[in-house]
Amino acid sequence: MSSLSLLQAAAPQGSPRQPLPAQSSARANRSTVRGYFLAGRSMTWWPIGASLMSSNVGSGLFIGLAGTGAAGGIAVGGFEWNAAWVLVALGWIFIPVYISAGVVTMPEYLAKRFGGQRIRIYMSVLSLILYVFTKISTDIFSGAMFIQMSLGWDLYLSTGVLLLVTAAYTVAGGLTAVIYTDAFQTLIMVGGAFALMFIAFSKVGWYEGLVESYMSAAPSMTVANTTCHLPRRDAFHLFRDPVSGDLPWPGLVFGLTVLATWVWCADQVIVQRSLSAKSLSHAKGGSVLGGYLKLLPMFFVVMPGMISRSLFPDEVACVDPAVCQIVCGASVGCSNIAYPKLVVELMPVGLRGLMLAVMLAALMSSLTSIFNSSSTLFTLDLYHKARPTASERELMVVGRVFILVLVCVSLLWIPVIQTANSGQLFDYIQSVTSFLAPPITAVFLMAVFWPRANEQGAFWGLMVGLVVGLSRMVLEFSYETPSCGQPDGRPAVLADVHYLYFALILLVLTFLIIAAVSWATSPIPKEHLYRLTWWSRHSREPRIDLTQHPKTSVPASLLPQPGSCWRRGVLRLCGLTGDISASGPLDVEHSELNSLQEEPLWRRVCDVNALLLLAVNVFLWGYFA
């Protein structure tokens, strides 16, 4: 049975009254699989857009973006502006295909598109690994570092408290709680960050003052016969030299799009928000709002990071390894402290508390999104395949327990992040993503746009891409980044091939492998592909799924019944106090959930707003290029 069949079987039938949004988390949405993991597919455009923003802008982004901005200038803001284009692709290209396919998770889409189980299992496991390496651990590390600097708490105490609070309301509430909390916390984040932005800009004399003060912001303690203590001459240019630039412009335009396509169009954390929309128009509207919000971090995160270097060059811009070790505990540089330093030094006492709330909101928002999406992947893609007869109550409890397991793994990973920190957290996040994500991007692009791609091609493309990516990743962490004045003894593939260029190379390699193996093996008959590609998304032909499972159900008498008081208490926490039916079959071929119908007025409104968003985006790129 497909995951959507399971979700629909779980949905209450014939209900005469829809619960209010505020009630939905505490009532029906918590006690069904569809409600817990997809918010009952009842979300409107504005909480989706706000959640897209806050799911992506965690405390790791605050620390990492500001730190890279302090070290190298505004070019890192291009990472944020690139998102607008890919978000439009999500709403107009990928979401229609996912809706017509009737899927809940991204590995489930690949299983329907290609058949077999090995791609789906591989994707689920790799996604969970990526979450731990690039999302959970970095957000926890950066959030805890901020709290440690602000309050002087022990790093592990502050992290443990935050994780427990975050996991508690993710476990109890499901996706509806996550999305509405995200929407509220986005307001806190944007408001607090803008307050700090205005205070910081007023200290340096606004933009003109920032340009002048940043270009002269050098630490007093330098390394003899080097220039690494000086700001980059192209610090205020987005487009930089394709060979010698720290973020070369072809990599920023094309290589970054490879990573962004995975993040925004094929990653469970993001796509799950859009799939919870009540209609395709609401999903598109959420993408447009998310795109507008992603224009802002350049101004309230990157530039304040540069201001921090201007005001505190001896700490933020330190280059002497001995000095850096004293300042922040990392000999390769202390740019990561740029944003917390600005908060601690510039904000008055009351507003400092507001900014602490902003960072906690960013941390918790990002973690709740990842915890919820990870439990969806594990429960519906791994556990339900291992136990196809599992009752809905069992699946719900397993989803909650898996969140608690993730919390423990995350705590254990913090020391690794502390030692692996290369001095710029954002570079760590993006480089790891560039080693592992391009093969996933290639497979999704081929799945959506090239019907000839088959399971053998996709699987071997993923395998070869994984081996090549992991080889580069092992090399990357085998050699330390040289400090200022030290010779670079790394191999040429590390020193000369930028990670954004490597992402492009890996994408092309995966494309070639998929195409070659697919042409050498038999194609998938078209009756298996209706509504699974861009070209067949409107098809009404009956599709024969490549992943047909026997439709099973569990007799109600075999469902676990609550007995003791403590057991009833645990089930109440998990939102499972009502009558829970067993998993049952339901035909979803022509369900209203699969509809791509849009009202003409709202379709035009979404199209016009998307064009306006892209026009604003192009203007900003051109102005700062």
Side-chain angles (χ1 to χ4, degrees):
M1 188 190 311
S2 76
S3 298
L4 187 59
S5 304
L6 173 67
L7 301 197
Q8 291 203 335
Q13 301 296 314
S15 174
R17 184 174 69 88
Q18 294 296 318
L20 297 172
Q23 296 173 308
S24 56
S25 174
R27 292 179 54 190
N29 269 325
R30 292 177 60 220
S31 57
T32 67
V33 176
R34 184 179 78 162
Y36 184 75
F37 291 127
L38 280 186
R41 279 197 157 130
S42 61
M43 284 291 144
T44 53
W45 63 274
W46 67 268
I48 291 173
S51 185
L52 287 173
M53 165 75 168
S54 56
S55 299
N56 185 251
V57 182
S59 56
L61 204 80
F62 269 90
I63 302 285
L65 266 184
T68 304
I74 67 171
V76 72
F79 281 79
E80 299 301 289
W81 289 354
N82 180 280
W85 296 85
V86 192
L87 274 166
V88 170
L90 170 68
W92 272 258
I93 296 175
F94 287 89
I95 287 297
V97 175
Y98 298 151
I99 291 176
S100 67
V103 296
V104 177
T105 69
M106 297 302 93
E108 182 191 3
Y109 169 71
L110 293 181
K112 283 193 172 190
R113 170 64 177 81
F114 294 117
Q117 290 299 313
R118 55 185 183 174
I119 291 180
R120 179 174 185 162
I121 293 171
Y122 166 83
M123 282 292 300
S124 298
V125 173
L126 182 63
S127 295
L128 293 173
I129 292 171
L130 273 166
Y131 291 160
V132 171
F133 277 100
T134 67
K135 295 176 184 285
I136 300 176
S137 53
T138 54
D139 273 349
I140 292 169
F141 169 72
S142 54
M145 187 175 75
F146 184 95
I147 295 166
Q148 189 181 33
M149 282 197 67
S150 304
L151 301 179
W153 287 9
D154 176 74
L155 187 74
Y156 292 94
L157 171 66
S158 57
T159 303
V161 170
L162 283 175
L163 280 173
L164 288 176
V165 172
T166 303
Y169 77 77
T170 309
V171 165
L175 186 62
T176 305
V178 170
I179 289 185
Y180 278 112
T181 308
D182 280 353
F184 173 69
Q185 289 174 343
T186 300
L187 295 176
I188 301 177
M189 277 196 290
V190 174
F194 265 109
L196 178 59
M197 180 190 75
F198 282 112
I199 292 173
F201 268 110
S202 67
K203 291 285 186 183
V204 294
W206 305 103
Y207 187 74
E208 294 80 7
L210 170 61
V211 174
E212 183 179 340
S213 60
Y214 181 85
M215 296 309 292
S216 60
S220 55
M221 295 287 290
T222 62
V223 177
N225 302 317
T226 64
T227 59
C228 49
H229 59 281
L230 298 175
R232 293 184 61 89
R233 285 183 293 179
D234 55 6
F236 287 87
H237 298 283
L238 276 176
F239 287 169
R240 299 184 175 176
D241 189 275
V243 177
S244 62
D246 60 334
L247 289 173
W249 73 262
L252 195 60
V253 174
F254 302 109
L256 177 58
T257 304
V258 175
L259 310 186
T261 302
W262 169 68
V263 170
W264 296 103
C265 301
D267 178 25
Q268 183 69 18
V269 173
I270 298 299
V271 176
Q272 189 174 348
R273 269 114 200 87
S274 294
L275 286 178
S276 70
K278 62 166 61 174
S279 71
L280 180 57
S281 293
H282 280 283
K284 288 180 175 179
S287 290
V288 172
L289 176 60
Y292 277 118
L293 291 173
K294 290 294 283 182
L295 298 177
L296 302 178
M298 169 72 94
F299 305 104
F300 67 67
V301 181
V302 177
M303 290 184 180
M306 299 170 71
I307 293 172
S308 183
R309 174 180 177 135
S310 301
L311 296 176
F312 316 107
D314 286 336
E315 292 98 336
V316 176
C318 73
V319 291
D320 187 306
V323 174
C324 293
Q325 189 70 39
I326 295 170
V327 171
C328 66
S331 61
V332 290
C334 290
S335 59
N336 280 340
I337 70 168
Y339 203 84
K341 183 73 175 174
L342 208 60
V343 172
V344 172
E345 297 292 341
L346 292 192
M347 298 287 267
V349 175
L351 287 178
R352 196 179 305 163
L354 172 66
M355 281 312 297
L356 178 60
V358 169
M359 296 308 297
L360 295 186
L363 173 73
M364 293 170 65
S365 165
S366 186
L367 287 177
T368 49
S369 302
I370 296 160
F371 285 155
N372 185 270
S373 298
S374 301
S375 66
T376 308
L377 278 176
F378 179 80
T379 306
L380 299 184
D381 281 330
L382 298 177
Y383 188 83
H384 191 237
K385 293 304 168 199
R387 279 182 53 82
T389 60
S391 68
E392 179 158 349
R393 171 172 282 144
E394 181 179 340
L395 292 176
M396 298 294 291
V397 171
V398 166
R400 265 92 165 179
V401 169
F402 185 70
I403 292 175
L404 301 181
V405 174
L406 277 180
V407 169
C408 298
V409 173
S410 305
L411 280 170
L412 293 173
W413 190 250
I414 291 176
V416 181
I417 281 292
Q418 283 180 288
T419 56
N421 183 7
S422 62
Q424 292 185 35
L425 182 69
F426 198 72
D427 269 2
Y428 164 80
I429 298 170
Q430 299 302 330
S431 61
V432 171
T433 305
S434 72
F435 305 147
L436 299 177
I440 303 175
T441 300
V443 166
F444 272 90
L445 288 173
M446 298 288 257
V448 169
F449 291 112
W450 194 44
R452 184 63 179 79
N454 62 17
E455 194 270 351
Q456 294 93 327
F459 178 75
W460 288 111
L462 285 171
M463 289 298 105
V464 172
L466 177 68
V467 170
V468 174
L470 282 178
S471 301
R472 167 74 190 248
M473 185 172 168
V474 169
L475 280 175
E476 189 81 24
F477 292 110
S478 299
Y479 293 88
E480 288 189 3
T481 306
S483 298
C484 184
Q486 291 182 344
D488 192 345
R490 296 176 299 169
V493 70
L494 295 183
D496 300 334
V497 181
H498 195 276
Y499 62 81
L500 291 175
Y501 285 151
F502 180 80
L504 269 177
I505 295 168
L506 191 53
L507 179 82
V508 172
L509 174 66
T510 309
F511 275 152
L512 294 175
I513 297 293
I514 294 173
V517 177
S518 294
W519 280 116
T521 50
S522 57
I524 299 173
K526 66 177 183 179
E527 60 266 22
H528 296 301
L529 297 178
Y530 296 130
R531 295 179 302 286
L532 292 176
T533 68
W534 170 255
W535 317 110
S536 64
R537 67 191 186 283
H538 293 298
S539 171
R540 287 297 170 192
E541 297 290 330
R543 181 178 71 234
I544 303 173
D545 272 344
L546 289 163
T547 52
Q548 289 284 359
H549 299 288
K551 295 184 175 180
T552 58
S553 59
V554 181
S557 60
L558 296 182
L559 290 175
Q561 300 298 324
S564 62
C565 294
W566 68 267
R567 182 178 180 127
R568 284 198 297 271
V570 170
L571 291 176
R572 183 176 296 277
L573 170 66
C574 290
L576 299 174
T577 51
D579 292 332
I580 305 289
S581 62
S583 303
L586 191 68
D587 180 22
V588 297
E589 280 292 321
H590 301 291
S591 165
E592 71 277 9
L593 292 180
N594 292 16
S595 173
L596 299 181
Q597 300 297 320
E598 296 180 86
E599 291 185 25
L601 170 64
W602 294 114
R603 185 176 68 242
R604 284 193 292 271
V605 168
C606 290
D607 291 346
V608 169
N609 273 281
L611 289 173
L612 184 61
L613 166 66
L614 297 181
V616 172
N617 191 270
V618 168
F619 169 77
L620 289 171
W621 274 97
Y623 184 81
F624 287 99

